[in-house]
Amino acid sequence: LGLSGPPGAGKSTFIECFGKMLTERKYKVSVLAVDPSSSTSGGSLLGDKTRMTELSRDMNAYIRPSPTRGTLGGVTRTTNEAILLCEGGGYNVVLVETVGVGQSEFAVADMVDMFILLLPPAGGDELQGIKRGIIEMADLVAINKADGDLVVPARRIQAEYVSAMKLLRKRSKIWRPKV
């Protein structure tokens, strides 16, 4: 599964919760977390593993943070090979968390069985992604952080994306993207 979304959408939190649910059901889960590299220093924080504290201690989970090192599209140059290695290593589920910073970080969509776009409610111009970029590639759009005071904005955004996605060309004859 490929996961993308803007900063603050809750990608790492979602992966931790979903990953723990999978390991409790006896799946072996691999997380390939891609972090942006600095164009100045070339360094990367690789902080996703620290945000997945429970999952990182789980014996049925493997978390590999990787820097982009200038690669565009939200993944690293070797993400596809890393997915194959994880599958070959016996991991049932491979989750790829992209950099996820905008409308063009969807290279992972061609590497995975399902591409999930995570969006926070009340993030501004809600249909900004409809500019024929990342939203076209999504197999599933998940409105995250939809609790408390954000329930109403989340439902509104869900309705907007359901309507907007009807205007997009279908990528598959058998799957209609869900919101």
Side-chain angles (χ1 to χ4, degrees), residues 55-81:
L55 192 60
S56 67
R57 290 190 296 254
D58 192 316
M59 295 304 292
N60 287 316
Y62 168 71
I63 302 174
R64 166 83 176 152
S66 299
T68 58
R69 292 191 180 107
T71 303
L72 300 177
V75 293
T76 70
R77 189 176 47 79
T78 58
T79 296
N80 202 44
E81 289 84 353

Side-chain angles (χ1 to χ4, degrees), residues 2-3 30 36 54 137 168:
L3 294 115
S30 174
E54 287 184 44
M137 304 304 289
L168 299 176

Side-chain angles (χ1 to χ4, degrees), residues 34-38 42-46 48 66-69 99 101:
V34 181
D35 277 342
S37 297
S38 167
S44 185
L45 291 176
L46 304 178
D48 288 307
S66 299
T68 58
R69 292 191 180 107
V99 170
V101 293

Side-chain angles (χ1 to χ4, degrees), residues 148-170:
D149 292 341
L150 296 176
V151 170
V152 172
R155 290 209 172 116
R156 181 179 47 80
I157 292 164
Q158 177 189 19
E160 289 177 11
Y161 271 92
V162 166
S163 294
M165 290 183 80
K166 291 177 185 174
L167 304 173
L168 299 176
R169 186 183 56 187
K170 295 177 187 169

Side-chain angles (χ1 to χ4, degrees), residues 28 30 80-94:
K28 286 186 69 180
S30 174
N80 202 44
E81 289 84 353
I83 292 169
L84 294 173
L85 283 170
C86 290
E87 289 174 342
Y91 289 93
N92 311 91
V93 179
V94 179

